[in-house]
Amino acid sequence: MKTRQQIPSQSLTIGVGSIEPAPHIAKAEYDWTLIEQLHSDILDSPDVLFKPAEINMPVQCADGRTLKAIGGSAIGGSFTAVMADCLGDRRFYIPGDNSYEHALKVYGYIVEQDFMIGGHDDDHAISPDCGCGGEDKLDSLSDESMSILRFVSENGASIKQTLENLLDDSTGANLGIKVDSSLHATIVDQARELHALSGTDKPYVSSGRDLRRAMIEVGGPDSVDHLSGEHKEVMAIIDCRTDSILDRAALAERYAGLVQAFYINVASIKFAAEVLSAGNPQAAELNFMAGLYYNIAASAVLAGPSLRLLTLT
């Protein structure tokens, strides 16, 4: 049993999005005490809020609205694997591919290895979006709307610093994530290259609806979880453990649907990176870091700076 320490609260200080608790607290929908209670519950009530699970490929999005708990979670679900390849080793990406074509190849390979794929849409997305922010906000030509690829391109150093400064919320110890400078440069350069294709006659980024279609074409209709309602996430849980997952239905019941949490399984991102690398350890490390960069960047684009970060090891 780890000894609980009083450590400074961690927040997504690089966040530029709109999902965060501060506006709700300003409107007196709840107060910071509720956030502190959720923080304590996550750390102290594992038997209530977590369930045993085999964690391999990410098959659920980190989205806090889902009530399912079936395996590993990451932004976009299995789409994290697509971005790990795209910003990483590029075993499956060929210049000229768009993200729909690229996703078909990555998903096809994953299924060939006998793993599931999964993601989500929602019931109020307007075409060309699908309702998954990790896909819908992958890139944009609008200067008024920050995109994920643009965020990696322009804020790579902030992503690196965020990862390297993460603390274990039980002990206060630094997680020890160190991003090699050459891996960092590769990920940022490749994001910049893909972002630069936006607005050309050969853009990389397809619509969210096309990415949803790619998942269904390979994984079948059941691979897409249909979500509803608005985002109520107040924290992002970054879980480095390999034997349990957050039971988001239990969390919703415990808090009467008032608040939610993003949920990212670091172990599932690492697993996906290793599968995609086919035994090449250098490629696996690059893919893993690329997957982490995508998850932090997507979180920052979707969520604001008051979003609490909670890290479990």
Side-chain angles (χ1 to χ4, degrees):
M1 177 73 69
K2 295 178 182 177
T3 302
R4 285 281 304 278
Q5 304 288 336
Q6 289 296 114
I7 66 170
S9 297
Q10 303 179 88
S11 298
L12 187 67
T13 55
I14 63 174
V16 297
S18 60
I19 302 172
E20 58 177 331
H24 300 278
I25 290 171
K27 292 186 290 187
E29 295 174 15
Y30 48 79
D31 58 25
W32 289 110
T33 303
L34 186 69
I35 314 299
E36 297 301 332
Q37 181 60 50
L38 176 59
H39 182 278
S40 295
D41 276 352
I42 294 294
L43 294 175
D44 298 334
S45 304
D47 294 340
V48 175
L49 295 178
F50 291 84
K51 59 189 297 184
E54 179 184 5
I55 299 170
N56 45 52
M57 197 63 59
V59 293
Q60 287 192 264
C61 185
D63 196 305
R65 295 176 294 172
T66 185
L67 298 180
K68 292 183 179 179
I70 58 175
S73 293
I75 298 289
S78 301
F79 187 66
T80 276
V82 179
M83 293 310 297
D85 181 71
C86 189
L87 299 179
D89 185 54
R90 293 191 168 180
R91 181 180 172 209
F92 299 94
Y93 171 72
I94 297 173
D97 283 349
N98 60 40
S99 56
Y100 163 77
E101 295 164 336
H102 184 202
L104 286 176
K105 289 189 284 187
V106 174
Y107 294 155
Y109 178 77
I110 291 171
V111 170
E112 286 173 2
Q113 308 310 304
D114 292 327
F115 297 110
M116 293 171 55
I117 60 171
H120 81 91
D121 58 15
D122 71 24
D123 62 1
H124 57 275
I126 300 174
S127 184
D129 289 348
C130 69
C132 174
E135 296 176 338
D136 293 335
K137 293 184 177 293
L138 189 56
D139 214 354
S140 170
L141 292 176
S142 171
D143 290 336
E144 299 177 359
S145 178
M146 177 60 75
S147 72
I148 297 167
L149 287 176
R150 179 181 166 193
F151 192 92
V152 178
S153 302
E154 298 178 358
N155 300 281
S158 296
I159 297 172
K160 182 177 187 291
Q161 184 178 42
T162 297
L163 287 168
E164 293 185 337
N165 288 344
L166 287 173
L167 305 176
D168 183 323
D169 271 81
S170 291
T171 67
N174 187 283
L175 260 61
I177 297 175
K178 298 299 179 186
V179 184
D180 180 86
S181 59
S182 65
L183 300 187
H184 170 80
T186 295
I187 294 165
V188 172
D189 287 348
Q190 294 187 156
R192 189 172 294 128
E193 170 199 326
L194 295 173
H195 176 56
L197 294 175
S198 296
T200 69
D201 60 354
K202 283 282 190 178
Y204 171 70
V205 175
S206 307
S207 69
R209 288 290 171 101
D210 281 345
L211 292 173
R212 174 184 180 275
R213 179 162 59 91
M215 182 164 287
I216 291 173
E217 286 178 8
V218 177
D222 290 343
S223 64
V224 175
D225 192 8
H226 305 296
L227 304 184
S228 62
E230 300 304 313
H231 285 282
K232 300 178 182 179
E233 290 90 350
V234 298
M235 70 171 52
I237 301 168
I238 302 173
D239 194 344
C240 299
R241 301 171 302 173
T242 60
D243 58 356
S244 63
I245 57 175
L246 179 67
D247 186 342
R248 278 168 275 194
L251 189 151
E253 181 178 359
R254 192 174 181 90
Y255 284 84
L258 187 61
V259 294
Q260 302 162 346
F262 290 113
Y263 183 59
I264 297 171
N265 286 120
V266 174
S268 73
I269 299 172
K270 186 175 181 64
F271 186 92
E274 291 170 349
V275 169
L276 296 178
S277 70
N280 181 329
Q282 289 78 28
E285 181 64 14
L286 175 57
N287 291 338
F288 176 47
M289 286 300 161
L292 289 179
Y293 269 54
Y294 165 69
N295 273 258
I296 295 298
S299 298
V301 168
L302 295 170
S306 69
L307 191 85
R308 180 70 59 87
L309 295 180
L310 191 158
T311 305
L312 301 171
T313 64

